[in-house]
Amino acid sequence: MSDLPDRISLREVGPRDGLQNEDPVPTDAKVALIDQLSQTGVRRIEAVSFVHPKAIPQMADADDVWRQIRRAAAVRYSALVPNSRGATRALDAGFAELEAVVSASDTHNRKNVNRSTEESLDDIAIIIDQAHQAGATCQVIVSTAWGCPYEGEVPVQRTVAVASRAVADGADSVSFGDTTGMATPSRVQALVGAFRSRHPQTGVNLHFHNTRGTGLANVLTALELGVADFDASVGGLGGCPYAPGATGNIATEELIYMVEDMGVATGIDLAAMIEAAAAAERIVGRTLPSQVLRAGPRTRTIAP
Ligand code: ZN
């Protein structure tokens, strides 16, 4: 495993992608969770999204959450924005990192934001300019990158074409989102390979959901390809709006547990992240899917 990256950059997305797919929780619980995560050594947290409260009531208190958290100097906080109005709110609130999102699948994009992928890409070009003018960065997230709940298969060329448009418009980096957990190691290889051959200089983040149990296998494949930037959510918080009862993102503590044992540093204290996962579980009031939360690290022993 000598050619794996020495370290990865991990973005904690539980407060946004996770909680967005849970029953609404009080503002102070969100603030407490972000504050606890800020002390684990994680360097990037996707804190909120600036979406219309009618579309996603779970994120209606984004401004309050952002105002109330204790921002750690070592942590970069980001906000997800679905359109230029959301970008204006995020920049006004002082975010220095935006994530603009577009679906590779036209049907999914229309269901989500009521316009075509092409129309969203036009708006994203404006968001990128808005961000840059404010001295902020903008990552473009291509969701349903490996498949769509409505269209099924999304061809690699389609996902690469959408990402390429974002790169041409000035995106600082690209994230591929496996929104419904349809990626497998061979499909990760195909998409990352195709994108890299066209854009070798562009930073790539991968965002896996563990809907079908292939999340960590996908990460391992990506590591072998040299990808060193991943999303994960504490406890495996979240779910899938298209598959009731399905699990959410890959769990942060499971990702840390696996890669650190392969000699890939994350900079995160695993025990502290497991404690944060236990707190997340208390906040949402249901058993979260993380198995490392249940069993602890392999070095945990019990009295004989
Ligand atoms: Zn997601």
Side-chain angles (χ1 to χ4, degrees):
M1 294 188 172
S2 55
D3 50 2
L4 298 181
D6 292 338
R7 56 177 48 252
I8 59 168
S9 178
L10 195 156
R11 177 168 58 194
E12 169 58 50
V13 300
R16 202 287 302 172
D17 201 6
L19 291 181
Q20 179 168 320
N21 289 297
E22 300 281 355
D23 291 337
V25 303
T27 303
D28 55 355
K30 292 180 189 176
V31 171
L33 179 63
I34 295 174
D35 285 347
Q36 186 167 356
L37 288 166
S38 295
Q39 300 304 315
T40 59
V42 74
R43 306 296 290 269
R44 294 155 71 206
I45 299 177
E46 184 185 66
V48 294
S49 66
F50 288 96
V51 291
H52 197 285
K54 275 200 183 121
I56 300 177
Q58 289 93 330
M59 292 288 127
D61 56 356
D63 281 298
D64 292 332
V65 170
W66 177 236
R67 235 190 328 268
Q68 290 174 33
I69 60 171
R70 284 195 306 272
R71 294 174 211 167
V75 179
R76 292 153 50 195
Y77 300 91
S78 60
L80 184 131
V81 299
N83 50 40
S84 49
R85 201 165 349 145
T88 303
R89 283 179 64 197
L91 293 169
D92 286 349
F95 276 92
E97 290 194 24
L98 304 193
E99 300 156 21
V101 61
V102 59
S103 293
S105 147
D106 215 52
T107 314
H108 186 264
N109 206 69
R110 285 181 194 281
K111 293 264 187 196
N112 253 356
V113 289
N114 206 17
R115 53 188 172 182
S116 70
T117 296
E118 210 56 36
E119 288 167 320
S120 278
L121 284 166
D122 291 341
D123 194 42
I124 283 174
I126 297 168
I127 295 174
I128 293 169
D129 284 344
Q130 277 179 281
H132 289 171
Q133 275 165 29
T137 61
C138 182
Q139 175 177 81
V140 174
I141 299 173
V142 182
S143 67
T144 62
W146 282 276
C148 163
Y150 308 107
E151 295 182 11
E153 202 79 57
V154 172
V156 168
Q157 313 86 277
R158 166 72 180 174
T159 302
V160 171
V162 171
S164 296
R165 163 82 200 272
V167 173
D169 288 335
D172 292 283
S173 59
V174 165
S175 171
F176 291 114
D178 188 19
T179 316
T180 52
M182 289 162 76
T184 61
S186 60
R187 290 167 193 277
V188 170
Q189 204 159 16
L191 178 56
V192 171
F195 180 77
R196 281 259 191 77
S197 64
R198 281 189 62 177
H199 305 285
Q201 306 301 329
T202 306
V204 175
N205 163 281
L206 298 180
H207 174 106
F208 294 119
H209 282 243
N210 201 33
T211 322
R212 292 176 176 80
T214 55
L216 287 181
N218 293 337
V219 169
L220 180 55
T221 297
L223 285 172
E224 288 168 347
L225 295 168
V227 176
D229 184 347
F230 296 93
D231 284 356
S233 94
V234 62
L237 208 54
C240 176
Y242 312 99
T247 58
N249 297 90
I250 54 172
T252 312
E253 59 280 8
E254 293 188 341
L255 177 58
I256 299 165
Y257 170 71
M258 182 182 83
V259 305
E260 292 265 356
D261 196 54
M262 296 188 298
V264 178
T266 63
I268 303 169
D269 181 327
L270 176 58
M273 190 57 77
I274 292 174
E275 279 174 34
E281 196 167 69
R282 286 192 296 273
I283 286 170
V284 295
R286 71 174 182 98
T287 302
L288 292 177
S290 166
Q291 288 165 306
V292 169
L293 169 59
R294 296 273 86 73
R298 51 184 286 284
T299 49
R300 181 189 286 177
T301 55
I302 54 172

